[in-house]
Amino acid sequence: MNLISELRWRGMIQDIKPGTEEQLQKEMTTAYIGFDPTADSLHVGSLVPIMLLVHLQKAGHKPLALVGGATGMVGDPSFKAEERKMLDEATLLHNQQCIKAQLERFLDFDQSKPNYAEMVNNYDWFKGISFLNFIRDVGKHITVNYMMAKDSVKKRLEGESGMSFTEFSYQMIQGYDFYHLYTAKNCKMQMGGSDQWGNIVTGTELVRRIGGGEAYAFTCPLIKKKDGSKFGKSESGNIWLDPAKTTPYQFYQFWLNADDEDAESYIRIFTFLDEPTINDLIAEHHQDPGKRVLQKRVAQEVTTFIHGAAEYEAALKTTESLFSKGAGVDTLKTMTEEQLLQTLTGVDLKEMPATVLSEQKDVVTFLAEAGVFTSKGEARKLIQGGGMSMNGQKITAVDLRITEESLLNGKNILFQKGKKNYILVKFV
């Protein structure tokens, strides 16, 4: 398998250093990607680097997943408008452990294989380097002119917030990661998003100038939605890989609701289906876009890859219960509470004390207090716009009272925000 050819038809190559494809064809090559440990879970924005590492390993090469315990303390300034908050060491360590557990589900860490995956943490080598030693032994090899020429640095320097020395030094720290892995792990290649190209090239320069070696690299385009909005966001925020943060049903819905044009891109990037299969699916989709063939297949493939076949089936069952013709809320009304909760696996669940029913709160207050909305104003606006339903009936009055008569099956209320978002409120 030619890795670069495979990634190229999938639309996953943007920048590539000369000689990279030849290096990959010449021998088993060790390559790495960095993961940012600023949260205790990866999100769908991290799926591209995960896919790159999986493709790399499938092609017979050795993947390194670098969790940035050191760089996470600094903050990558690449095309960001302002400096981010620093995290303490204990929080970073917890996040790293969680991310490692996630990555172990996707990569083969079996040490009996020549190209087994490894996890590395740049804090392990930076903790022993003093500031003076770093600027003496590493800093002298890269000029300030070279660092300031990077587009990501220029953008911040020209902005109102400027850039701290801490963030300015980031590309040197990331560059040293590459040099260290080159010497310690024979790592000859780095991959990443296109916003990382400047930092990656700094690493190849350090390998050349300090180590006298040749290093390679390529980047993948940043994924954006057709409308230009940020990929990986939903109405409720980030789409996480951790099922405790984003349920498999919500995860499935994210992919299912993709725009037609986005789905054509997603099926190439986020699945392992071969080119003829994908071309057939795209052709079938063009014949009848209303069937949403692409969206359904993308949702199936990615949900199964991240959460497993059983969770995909559960998400599909919940989706069919809510959206299939002849089913929907009317069917849910006939279920017992146990059947209802089982059927709606993964739907956003809120709990409220049963005593609030006797208070007969107005629906706007109730929705805000239940956490369905962040504010009364937000709830009132959607109700007045006709975008809110309760137990299958559109809410037409903001002064509607929530009482025991509002319950579905004696203990629950099913709310619907817009066309796609369901929230089940359970009274305890």
Side-chain angles (χ1 to χ4, degrees), residues 99-118:
I99 291 170
K100 180 178 180 181
Q102 287 183 331
L103 290 174
E104 285 174 341
R105 303 205 317 263
F106 312 124
L107 297 167
D108 188 349
F109 286 81
D110 182 356
Q111 295 187 22
S112 67
K113 297 178 180 177
N115 67 329
Y116 71 94
E118 286 188 70

Side-chain angles (χ1 to χ4, degrees), residues 80-233:
K80 294 179 177 65
E82 57 187 34
E83 191 163 351
R84 74 182 180 195
K85 289 175 63 177
M86 302 296 172
L87 298 178
D88 61 74
E89 189 173 336
T91 301
L92 282 167
L93 179 61
H94 169 73
N95 292 350
Q96 291 156 25
Q97 291 170 340
C98 294
I99 291 170
K100 180 178 180 181
Q102 287 183 331
L103 290 174
E104 285 174 341
R105 303 205 317 263
F106 312 124
L107 297 167
D108 188 349
F109 286 81
D110 182 356
Q111 295 187 22
S112 67
K113 297 178 180 177
N115 67 329
Y116 71 94
E118 286 188 70
M119 288 283 302
V120 292
N121 180 353
N122 59 11
Y123 184 71
D124 291 339
W125 53 86
F126 271 110
K127 65 184 178 184
I129 302 176
S130 73
F131 176 71
L132 289 176
N133 286 342
F134 187 78
I135 60 174
R136 181 194 65 194
D137 298 335
V138 181
K140 67 181 181 182
H141 293 282
I142 301 293
T143 67
V144 171
N145 306 58
Y146 176 88
M147 295 173 72
M148 290 183 66
K150 300 295 170 60
D151 289 340
S152 57
V153 174
K154 283 182 181 178
K155 183 177 180 181
R156 281 290 295 275
L157 290 177
E158 292 168 358
E160 294 182 4
S161 59
M163 176 185 285
S164 68
F165 175 77
T166 302
E167 286 200 316
F168 182 63
S169 67
Y170 184 93
Q171 65 171 290
M172 284 294 296
I173 296 173
Q174 184 175 325
Y176 184 79
D177 284 342
F178 200 168
Y179 168 72
H180 173 85
L181 292 174
Y182 174 81
T183 57
K185 298 283 186 181
N186 193 32
C187 178
K188 295 182 179 180
M189 189 169 75
Q190 185 181 170
M191 306 176 291
S194 58
D195 60 337
Q196 292 294 309
W197 183 246
N199 296 335
I200 291 172
V201 171
T202 298
T204 65
E205 282 297 297
L206 287 178
V207 168
R208 183 178 67 82
R209 296 181 186 188
I210 303 177
E214 187 71 27
Y216 305 92
F218 69 84
T219 63
C220 181
L222 295 180
I223 311 300
K224 287 189 176 181
K225 294 182 182 178
K226 178 186 173 183
D227 61 8
S229 61
K230 188 174 182 180
F231 169 76
K233 294 280 188 178

Side-chain angles (χ1 to χ4, degrees), residues 266-315:
Y266 296 168
I267 200 163
R268 293 187 179 97
I269 295 171
F270 298 110
T271 80
F272 297 101
L273 298 173
D274 59 37
E275 189 170 12
T277 300
I278 288 176
N279 288 340
D280 287 346
L281 285 167
I282 291 173
E284 184 181 352
H285 178 78
H286 286 168
Q287 289 176 0
D288 188 354
K291 288 185 177 180
R292 301 182 70 76
V293 170
L294 279 184
Q295 287 90 338
K296 290 177 181 178
R297 189 60 182 271
V298 171
Q300 175 186 349
E301 294 290 329
V302 185
T303 304
T304 301
F305 176 60
I306 299 299
H307 296 296
E311 292 292 359
Y312 159 70
E313 293 294 342

Side-chain angles (χ1 to χ4, degrees), residues 371-403:
V372 177
F373 290 95
T374 56
S375 68
K376 292 182 181 180
E378 187 183 358
R380 184 179 294 108
K381 183 177 180 181
L382 191 61
I383 290 171
Q384 289 174 336
M388 194 75 195
S389 297
M390 181 176 76
N391 296 335
Q393 301 294 319
K394 186 165 289 188
I395 302 173
T396 57
V398 294
D399 59 355
L400 173 71
R401 297 289 162 175
I402 303 299
T403 68

